[in-house]
Amino acid sequence: FSVRFNELFLFYVASLSLGVASLVALLRCLPADELPARISTRLPVRAIGGWLIATGVAFAALWLADVVPALASGDVPRSLHGTALPTNTVQVLDFGFTLPLCVAAGVWLMRRRPWGILLSGMLLVFLTLESVSVAVDQWFGHHADFLQSLSAVAMFALPAAAAQAGS
């Protein structure tokens, strides 16, 4: 996390992600006897799985739109301008853990795999908490600096509210 952003950024994140992928592959080998063997036919696995996959893909695209131009220009990503941070740790965590797990959980849930049930439930709670915390952060950021837009508040609060309404 403390490596200064450079042309190998995506390779560093890929090596971290490979470790996560290895962990996920190991999860598939563990006996799933204690996990629910069946999913209720009323559970909207396609909607939940699709939501998780869409979330993973959308945020990957958002972060790549920040990272790829910086890699091409030899500069740091825009998200680091005005900071003393060597890299964007949120991007590292998302690329390395959260986004691959969102996609894997979504696919496994739609295939009604036991680990899909476990991971998707965990990720729905995590993403809701993360969305609320980002919305609150952006709210206070706007009140500290009125030039900051409130659009991120709605962008993160609405999905959190929708997730709670659906539960």
Side-chain angles (χ1 to χ4, degrees):
F1 293 105
S2 292
V3 176
R4 187 157 300 283
F5 183 85
N6 61 44
E7 61 275 355
L8 296 176
F9 173 77
L10 289 177
F11 291 108
Y12 298 148
V13 175
S15 65
L16 176 64
S17 189
L18 182 59
V20 173
S22 299
L23 179 62
V24 170
L26 284 174
L27 286 177
R28 294 184 59 212
C29 297
L30 295 174
D33 297 342
E34 288 124 32
L35 294 175
R38 296 181 303 170
I39 299 176
S40 169
T41 56
R42 296 185 324 212
L43 184 69
V45 294
R46 289 178 117 20
I48 295 169
W51 174 258
L52 288 170
I53 293 167
T55 298
V57 169
F59 274 92
L62 176 70
W63 292 141
L64 286 172
D66 187 39
V67 168
V68 172
L71 291 172
S73 70
D75 195 8
V76 297
R78 284 186 39 204
S79 62
L80 292 176
H81 289 181
T83 74
L85 298 172
T87 55
N88 185 329
T89 56
V90 175
Q91 291 174 340
V92 173
L93 288 171
D94 280 357
F95 279 138
F97 297 97
T98 309
L99 306 180
L101 285 175
C102 281
V103 173
V107 169
W108 289 346
L109 182 64
M110 289 195 290
R111 293 181 180 169
R112 297 180 178 275
R113 300 274 165 80
W115 284 106
I117 300 167
L118 181 69
L119 286 174
S120 63
M122 183 265 317
L123 282 166
L124 289 174
V125 170
F126 169 74
L127 292 172
T128 300
L129 292 173
E130 188 174 34
S131 294
V132 169
S133 70
V134 170
V136 169
D137 171 72
Q138 294 300 306
W139 174 266
F140 282 109
H142 171 76
H143 288 286
D145 178 3
F146 287 104
L147 296 176
Q148 297 298 317
S149 171
L150 277 174
S151 62
V153 173
M155 187 171 76
F156 284 93
L158 291 175
Q164 289 307 303
S167 60

